[in-house]
Each structure stands twice: as C-alpha cells, then as structure tokens.
mmCIF file of all heavy atoms in Angstrom:
data_model
loop_
_atom_site.group_PDB
_atom_site.id
_atom_site.type_symbol
_atom_site.label_atom_id
_atom_site.label_comp_id
_atom_site.label_asym_id
_atom_site.label_seq_id
_atom_site.Cartn_x
_atom_site.Cartn_y
_atom_site.Cartn_z
ATOM 1 N N ILE A 122 -19.804 -9.114 25.070
ATOM 2 C CA ILE A 122 -21.167 -8.615 24.868
ATOM 3 C C ILE A 122 -21.467 -8.551 23.366
ATOM 4 O O ILE A 122 -22.547 -8.943 22.916
ATOM 5 C CB ILE A 122 -21.341 -7.238 25.535
ATOM 6 C CG1 ILE A 122 -21.296 -7.390 27.060
ATOM 7 C CG2 ILE A 122 -22.642 -6.579 25.098
ATOM 8 C CD1 ILE A 122 -21.187 -6.076 27.815
ATOM 9 N N ALA A 123 -20.499 -8.066 22.595
ATOM 10 C CA ALA A 123 -20.685 -8.021 21.138
ATOM 11 C C ALA A 123 -20.893 -9.424 20.580
ATOM 12 O O ALA A 123 -21.785 -9.651 19.761
ATOM 13 C CB ALA A 123 -19.469 -7.364 20.478
ATOM 14 N N GLN A 124 -20.097 -10.367 21.057
ATOM 15 C CA GLN A 124 -20.210 -11.736 20.566
ATOM 16 C C GLN A 124 -21.569 -12.331 20.895
ATOM 17 O O GLN A 124 -22.151 -13.079 20.101
ATOM 18 C CB GLN A 124 -19.090 -12.595 21.159
ATOM 19 C CG GLN A 124 -18.937 -13.963 20.507
ATOM 20 C CD GLN A 124 -18.684 -13.880 19.011
ATOM 21 O OE1 GLN A 124 -17.927 -13.027 18.538
ATOM 22 N NE2 GLN A 124 -19.354 -14.737 18.243
ATOM 23 N N SER A 125 -22.093 -11.995 22.075
ATOM 24 C CA SER A 125 -23.380 -12.568 22.513
ATOM 25 C C SER A 125 -24.533 -12.130 21.617
ATOM 26 O O SER A 125 -25.554 -12.822 21.536
ATOM 27 C CB SER A 125 -23.674 -12.155 23.963
ATOM 28 O OG SER A 125 -24.050 -10.784 24.050
ATOM 29 N N GLY A 126 -24.388 -10.972 20.954
ATOM 30 C CA GLY A 126 -25.466 -10.479 20.097
ATOM 31 C C GLY A 126 -25.209 -10.651 18.617
ATOM 32 O O GLY A 126 -25.950 -10.110 17.788
ATOM 33 N N THR A 127 -24.162 -11.405 18.269
ATOM 34 C CA THR A 127 -23.757 -11.518 16.867
ATOM 35 C C THR A 127 -24.469 -12.657 16.141
ATOM 36 O O THR A 127 -24.502 -13.792 16.620
ATOM 37 C CB THR A 127 -22.233 -11.745 16.769
ATOM 38 O OG1 THR A 127 -21.558 -10.587 17.279
ATOM 39 C CG2 THR A 127 -21.806 -11.966 15.324
ATOM 40 N N VAL A 128 -25.053 -12.315 14.996
ATOM 41 C CA VAL A 128 -25.554 -13.308 14.040
ATOM 42 C C VAL A 128 -24.990 -12.911 12.693
ATOM 43 O O VAL A 128 -25.297 -11.832 12.165
ATOM 44 C CB VAL A 128 -27.096 -13.343 13.998
ATOM 45 C CG1 VAL A 128 -27.551 -14.337 12.942
ATOM 46 C CG2 VAL A 128 -27.669 -13.701 15.362
ATOM 47 N N GLY A 129 -24.139 -13.752 12.129
ATOM 48 C CA GLY A 129 -23.475 -13.393 10.877
ATOM 49 C C GLY A 129 -22.549 -12.212 11.097
ATOM 50 O O GLY A 129 -21.662 -12.255 11.943
ATOM 51 N N GLN A 130 -22.769 -11.141 10.344
ATOM 52 C CA GLN A 130 -21.949 -9.926 10.477
ATOM 53 C C GLN A 130 -22.700 -8.794 11.167
ATOM 54 O O GLN A 130 -22.272 -7.642 11.125
ATOM 55 C CB GLN A 130 -21.469 -9.470 9.097
ATOM 56 C CG GLN A 130 -20.389 -10.357 8.501
ATOM 57 C CD GLN A 130 -19.110 -10.330 9.335
ATOM 58 O OE1 GLN A 130 -18.497 -9.288 9.538
ATOM 59 N NE2 GLN A 130 -18.714 -11.494 9.843
ATOM 60 N N THR A 131 -23.820 -9.147 11.833
ATOM 61 C CA THR A 131 -24.629 -8.138 12.512
ATOM 62 C C THR A 131 -24.656 -8.403 14.018
ATOM 63 O O THR A 131 -24.842 -9.537 14.453
ATOM 64 C CB THR A 131 -26.074 -8.138 11.978
ATOM 65 O OG1 THR A 131 -26.049 -7.896 10.573
ATOM 66 C CG2 THR A 131 -26.909 -7.057 12.651
ATOM 67 N N VAL A 132 -24.454 -7.338 14.779
ATOM 68 C CA VAL A 132 -24.531 -7.432 16.241
ATOM 69 C C VAL A 132 -25.808 -6.726 16.675
ATOM 70 O O VAL A 132 -25.948 -5.507 16.520
ATOM 71 C CB VAL A 132 -23.309 -6.765 16.912
ATOM 72 C CG1 VAL A 132 -23.380 -6.945 18.421
ATOM 73 C CG2 VAL A 132 -22.013 -7.341 16.367
ATOM 74 N N ARG A 133 -26.758 -7.486 17.183
ATOM 75 C CA ARG A 133 -28.052 -6.934 17.579
ATOM 76 C C ARG A 133 -28.083 -6.795 19.097
ATOM 77 O O ARG A 133 -28.020 -7.790 19.816
ATOM 78 C CB ARG A 133 -29.183 -7.837 17.079
ATOM 79 C CG ARG A 133 -30.570 -7.236 17.212
ATOM 80 C CD ARG A 133 -31.600 -8.001 16.415
ATOM 81 N NE ARG A 133 -31.519 -7.718 14.981
ATOM 82 C CZ ARG A 133 -31.005 -8.539 14.087
ATOM 83 N NH1 ARG A 133 -30.538 -9.722 14.447
ATOM 84 N NH2 ARG A 133 -30.963 -8.209 12.810
ATOM 85 N N LEU A 134 -28.172 -5.564 19.578
ATOM 86 C CA LEU A 134 -28.107 -5.302 21.009
ATOM 87 C C LEU A 134 -29.154 -4.282 21.421
ATOM 88 O O LEU A 134 -29.601 -3.451 20.624
ATOM 89 C CB LEU A 134 -26.723 -4.764 21.404
ATOM 90 C CG LEU A 134 -25.537 -5.733 21.285
ATOM 91 C CD1 LEU A 134 -24.238 -4.973 21.471
ATOM 92 C CD2 LEU A 134 -25.654 -6.856 22.301
ATOM 93 N N SER A 135 -29.510 -4.329 22.685
ATOM 94 C CA SER A 135 -30.444 -3.359 23.248
ATOM 95 C C SER A 135 -29.832 -1.954 23.231
ATOM 96 O O SER A 135 -28.629 -1.794 23.436
ATOM 97 C CB SER A 135 -30.764 -3.746 24.694
ATOM 98 O OG SER A 135 -31.469 -2.702 25.342
ATOM 99 N N PRO A 136 -30.668 -0.925 23.005
ATOM 100 C CA PRO A 136 -30.186 0.453 23.109
ATOM 101 C C PRO A 136 -30.280 1.001 24.531
ATOM 102 O O PRO A 136 -30.137 2.217 24.747
ATOM 103 C CB PRO A 136 -31.126 1.214 22.164
ATOM 104 C CG PRO A 136 -32.418 0.458 22.269
ATOM 105 C CD PRO A 136 -32.043 -0.996 22.461
ATOM 106 N N ALA A 137 -30.516 0.137 25.518
ATOM 107 C CA ALA A 137 -30.622 0.580 26.906
ATOM 108 C C ALA A 137 -29.300 1.187 27.382
ATOM 109 O O ALA A 137 -28.224 0.843 26.879
ATOM 110 C CB ALA A 137 -31.005 -0.588 27.805
ATOM 111 N N TYR A 138 -29.406 2.063 28.360
ATOM 112 C CA TYR A 138 -28.198 2.700 28.898
ATOM 113 C C TYR A 138 -27.350 1.713 29.689
ATOM 114 O O TYR A 138 -27.857 0.845 30.401
ATOM 115 C CB TYR A 138 -28.568 3.869 29.806
ATOM 116 C CG TYR A 138 -28.891 5.136 29.062
ATOM 117 C CD1 TYR A 138 -30.164 5.705 29.139
ATOM 118 C CD2 TYR A 138 -27.923 5.782 28.281
ATOM 119 C CE1 TYR A 138 -30.469 6.875 28.453
ATOM 120 C CE2 TYR A 138 -28.223 6.946 27.591
ATOM 121 C CZ TYR A 138 -29.494 7.488 27.685
ATOM 122 O OH TYR A 138 -29.796 8.634 27.006
ATOM 123 N N VAL A 139 -26.024 1.881 29.560
ATOM 124 C CA VAL A 139 -25.054 1.202 30.408
ATOM 125 C C VAL A 139 -24.109 2.273 30.951
ATOM 126 O O VAL A 139 -24.073 3.397 30.457
ATOM 127 C CB VAL A 139 -24.255 0.122 29.650
ATOM 128 C CG1 VAL A 139 -25.134 -1.058 29.293
ATOM 129 C CG2 VAL A 139 -23.578 0.699 28.403
ATOM 130 N N GLN A 140 -23.355 1.904 31.977
ATOM 131 C CA GLN A 140 -22.423 2.847 32.610
ATOM 132 C C GLN A 140 -21.130 2.085 32.913
ATOM 133 O O GLN A 140 -20.786 1.850 34.067
ATOM 134 C CB GLN A 140 -23.053 3.414 33.886
ATOM 135 C CG GLN A 140 -22.383 4.657 34.423
ATOM 136 C CD GLN A 140 -23.240 5.318 35.500
ATOM 137 O OE1 GLN A 140 -24.441 5.060 35.617
ATOM 138 N NE2 GLN A 140 -22.622 6.182 36.288
ATOM 139 N N PRO A 141 -20.409 1.673 31.856
ATOM 140 C CA PRO A 141 -19.324 0.710 32.030
ATOM 141 C C PRO A 141 -18.161 1.259 32.854
ATOM 142 O O PRO A 141 -17.860 2.454 32.811
ATOM 143 C CB PRO A 141 -18.891 0.412 30.599
ATOM 144 C CG PRO A 141 -19.251 1.648 29.833
ATOM 145 C CD PRO A 141 -20.534 2.119 30.455
ATOM 146 N N ILE A 142 -17.511 0.347 33.566
ATOM 147 C CA ILE A 142 -16.405 0.701 34.454
ATOM 148 C C ILE A 142 -15.179 -0.127 34.084
ATOM 149 O O ILE A 142 -15.297 -1.307 33.746
ATOM 150 C CB ILE A 142 -16.812 0.493 35.932
ATOM 151 C CG1 ILE A 142 -15.719 0.988 36.891
ATOM 152 C CG2 ILE A 142 -17.182 -0.956 36.215
ATOM 153 C CD1 ILE A 142 -16.184 1.047 38.355
ATOM 154 N N ALA A 143 -14.015 0.486 34.142
ATOM 155 C CA ALA A 143 -12.766 -0.209 33.837
ATOM 156 C C ALA A 143 -12.369 -1.092 35.013
ATOM 157 O O ALA A 143 -12.591 -0.746 36.179
ATOM 158 C CB ALA A 143 -11.660 0.798 33.540
ATOM 159 N N SER A 144 -11.740 -2.216 34.718
ATOM 160 C CA SER A 144 -11.349 -3.156 35.780
ATOM 161 C C SER A 144 -10.387 -2.525 36.778
ATOM 162 O O SER A 144 -10.401 -2.876 37.963
ATOM 163 C CB SER A 144 -10.730 -4.415 35.174
ATOM 164 O OG SER A 144 -9.556 -4.099 34.446
ATOM 165 N N ASP A 145 -9.555 -1.576 36.341
ATOM 166 C CA ASP A 145 -8.650 -0.904 37.286
ATOM 167 C C ASP A 145 -9.441 -0.114 38.328
ATOM 168 O O ASP A 145 -9.070 -0.085 39.513
ATOM 169 C CB ASP A 145 -7.687 0.025 36.539
ATOM 170 C CG ASP A 145 -6.543 -0.731 35.893
ATOM 171 O OD1 ASP A 145 -6.094 -1.741 36.468
ATOM 172 O OD2 ASP A 145 -6.090 -0.316 34.809
ATOM 173 N N ASP A 146 -10.528 0.529 37.908
ATOM 174 C CA ASP A 146 -11.373 1.255 38.865
ATOM 175 C C ASP A 146 -12.091 0.290 39.807
ATOM 176 O O ASP A 146 -12.276 0.586 40.988
ATOM 177 C CB ASP A 146 -12.400 2.117 38.120
ATOM 178 C CG ASP A 146 -11.809 3.413 37.583
ATOM 179 O OD1 ASP A 146 -10.794 3.885 38.144
ATOM 180 O OD2 ASP A 146 -12.366 3.959 36.610
ATOM 181 N N VAL A 147 -12.505 -0.875 39.285
ATOM 182 C CA VAL A 147 -13.147 -1.883 40.134
ATOM 183 C C VAL A 147 -12.171 -2.371 41.198
ATOM 184 O O VAL A 147 -12.502 -2.457 42.387
ATOM 185 C CB VAL A 147 -13.658 -3.076 39.293
ATOM 186 C CG1 VAL A 147 -14.268 -4.144 40.202
ATOM 187 C CG2 VAL A 147 -14.676 -2.621 38.265
ATOM 188 N N ALA A 148 -10.940 -2.677 40.783
ATOM 189 C CA ALA A 148 -9.940 -3.175 41.729
ATOM 190 C C ALA A 148 -9.596 -2.134 42.788
ATOM 191 O O ALA A 148 -9.412 -2.480 43.966
ATOM 192 C CB ALA A 148 -8.683 -3.594 40.972
ATOM 193 N N ASP A 149 -9.522 -0.867 42.395
ATOM 194 C CA ASP A 149 -9.295 0.194 43.388
ATOM 195 C C ASP A 149 -10.393 0.191 44.441
ATOM 196 O O ASP A 149 -10.128 0.293 45.644
ATOM 197 C CB ASP A 149 -9.259 1.566 42.698
ATOM 198 C CG ASP A 149 -7.989 1.812 41.914
ATOM 199 O OD1 ASP A 149 -6.980 1.098 42.141
ATOM 200 O OD2 ASP A 149 -8.002 2.726 41.056
ATOM 201 N N ALA A 150 -11.633 0.064 43.978
ATOM 202 C CA ALA A 150 -12.769 0.062 44.901
ATOM 203 C C ALA A 150 -12.752 -1.159 45.812
ATOM 204 O O ALA A 150 -12.992 -1.050 47.022
ATOM 205 C CB ALA A 150 -14.080 0.121 44.115
ATOM 206 N N MET A 151 -12.467 -2.334 45.239
ATOM 207 C CA MET A 151 -12.462 -3.559 46.051
ATOM 208 C C MET A 151 -11.374 -3.512 47.120
ATOM 209 O O MET A 151 -11.577 -3.958 48.259
ATOM 210 C CB MET A 151 -12.279 -4.785 45.159
ATOM 211 C CG MET A 151 -13.388 -5.010 44.141
ATOM 212 S SD MET A 151 -15.074 -4.929 44.788
ATOM 213 C CE MET A 151 -15.081 -6.371 45.871
ATOM 214 N N ALA A 152 -10.214 -2.973 46.784
ATOM 215 C CA ALA A 152 -9.134 -2.853 47.768
ATOM 216 C C ALA A 152 -9.542 -1.906 48.894
ATOM 217 O O ALA A 152 -9.284 -2.177 50.073
ATOM 218 C CB ALA A 152 -7.857 -2.371 47.092
ATOM 219 N N ASP A 153 -10.191 -0.800 48.545
ATOM 220 C CA ASP A 153 -10.632 0.142 49.571
ATOM 221 C C ASP A 153 -11.683 -0.481 50.488
ATOM 222 O O ASP A 153 -11.645 -0.292 51.710
ATOM 223 C CB ASP A 153 -11.201 1.411 48.925
ATOM 224 C CG ASP A 153 -10.115 2.294 48.317
ATOM 225 O OD1 ASP A 153 -8.924 2.078 48.620
ATOM 226 O OD2 ASP A 153 -10.469 3.202 47.528
ATOM 227 N N VAL A 154 -12.617 -1.237 49.905
ATOM 228 C CA VAL A 154 -13.652 -1.888 50.706
ATOM 229 C C VAL A 154 -13.028 -2.914 51.648
ATOM 230 O O VAL A 154 -13.437 -3.051 52.806
ATOM 231 C CB VAL A 154 -14.716 -2.548 49.798
ATOM 232 C CG1 VAL A 154 -15.664 -3.435 50.607
ATOM 233 C CG2 VAL A 154 -15.513 -1.483 49.056
ATOM 234 N N ALA A 155 -12.003 -3.635 51.157
ATOM 235 C CA ALA A 155 -11.336 -4.656 51.979
ATOM 236 C C ALA A 155 -10.706 -4.055 53.221
ATOM 237 O O ALA A 155 -10.576 -4.733 54.253
ATOM 238 C CB ALA A 155 -10.276 -5.373 51.156
ATOM 239 N N LEU A 156 -10.324 -2.790 53.144
ATOM 240 C CA LEU A 156 -9.656 -2.136 54.269
ATOM 241 C C LEU A 156 -10.601 -1.233 55.056
ATOM 242 O O LEU A 156 -10.158 -0.465 55.916
ATOM 243 C CB LEU A 156 -8.455 -1.335 53.750
ATOM 244 C CG LEU A 156 -7.426 -2.160 52.958
ATOM 245 C CD1 LEU A 156 -6.288 -1.281 52.475
ATOM 246 C CD2 LEU A 156 -6.888 -3.317 53.797
ATOM 247 N N SER A 157 -11.892 -1.341 54.778
ATOM 248 C CA SER A 157 -12.911 -0.548 55.475
ATOM 249 C C SER A 157 -13.760 -1.455 56.358
ATOM 250 O O SER A 157 -13.731 -2.678 56.229
ATOM 251 C CB SER A 157 -13.811 0.168 54.461
ATOM 252 O OG SER A 157 -13.057 0.999 53.608
ATOM 253 N N ALA A 158 -14.524 -0.844 57.241
ATOM 254 C CA ALA A 158 -15.436 -1.605 58.098
ATOM 255 C C ALA A 158 -16.571 -2.179 57.256
ATOM 256 O O ALA A 158 -16.953 -1.593 56.233
ATOM 257 C CB ALA A 158 -16.009 -0.706 59.186
ATOM 258 N N PRO A 159 -17.113 -3.343 57.650
ATOM 259 C CA PRO A 159 -18.248 -3.908 56.904
ATOM 260 C C PRO A 159 -19.417 -2.930 56.849
ATOM 261 O O PRO A 159 -19.751 -2.289 57.851
ATOM 262 C CB PRO A 159 -18.612 -5.156 57.717
ATOM 263 C CG PRO A 159 -17.388 -5.488 58.507
ATOM 264 C CD PRO A 159 -16.722 -4.184 58.803
ATOM 265 N N ALA A 160 -20.047 -2.815 55.688
ATOM 266 C CA ALA A 160 -21.210 -1.943 55.539
ATOM 267 C C ALA A 160 -22.484 -2.648 55.980
ATOM 268 O O ALA A 160 -23.480 -2.009 56.310
ATOM 269 C CB ALA A 160 -21.342 -1.493 54.091
ATOM 270 N N ASN A 161 -22.440 -4.001 55.980
ATOM 271 C CA ASN A 161 -23.658 -4.799 56.201
ATOM 272 C C ASN A 161 -24.782 -4.305 55.290
ATOM 273 O O ASN A 161 -25.936 -4.179 55.691
ATOM 274 C CB ASN A 161 -24.078 -4.778 57.672
ATOM 275 C CG ASN A 161 -23.084 -5.541 58.534
ATOM 276 O OD1 ASN A 161 -22.688 -6.656 58.201
ATOM 277 N ND2 ASN A 161 -22.650 -4.930 59.616
ATOM 278 N N ALA A 162 -24.383 -4.042 54.064
ATOM 279 C CA ALA A 162 -25.306 -3.500 53.063
ATOM 280 C C ALA A 162 -24.654 -3.648 51.696
ATOM 281 O O ALA A 162 -23.526 -4.117 51.574
ATOM 282 C CB ALA A 162 -25.594 -2.028 53.352
ATOM 283 N N MET A 163 -25.396 -3.217 50.686
ATOM 284 C CA MET A 163 -24.893 -3.216 49.324
ATOM 285 C C MET A 163 -24.442 -1.807 48.963
ATOM 286 O O MET A 163 -25.139 -0.832 49.273
ATOM 287 C CB MET A 163 -25.990 -3.699 48.377
ATOM 288 C CG MET A 163 -25.562 -3.803 46.926
ATOM 289 S SD MET A 163 -25.967 -2.295 46.022
ATOM 290 C CE MET A 163 -27.750 -2.422 45.976
#
C-alpha cells in the first residue's frame, strides 16, 4: 500500500479509516468457516 502511493520520497495516501487484520486471524477465520455449515451469505 505504501509503495502504491509513493512518488519520490513521499507517500501520498487517503486519510480514510481502515481496520487492518493480521493474516493469522484471517486463517483462523477461514478454517472455522470451512468446518461450519454454508451461510449462503456474506
């Protein structure tokens, strides 16, 4: 993300909110979903 906004030595990015998640937490969630019934939803 930093690289995508870099021009020279300046990184220009939106000040919008983000809520970043670690890949370990994502993998925990995906494993749990794999062992659960389909939600047929998001």
Side-chain angles (χ1 to χ4, degrees):
I122 291 169
Q124 192 58 41
S125 73
T127 296
V128 177
Q130 287 296 300
T131 302
V132 183
R133 191 166 284 105
L134 292 170
S135 169
Y138 279 117
V139 290
Q140 196 168 342
I142 186 169
S144 62
D145 281 326
D146 281 335
V147 178
D149 286 342
M151 298 311 294
D153 287 346
V154 170
L156 303 179
S157 302
N161 291 313
M163 183 266 290

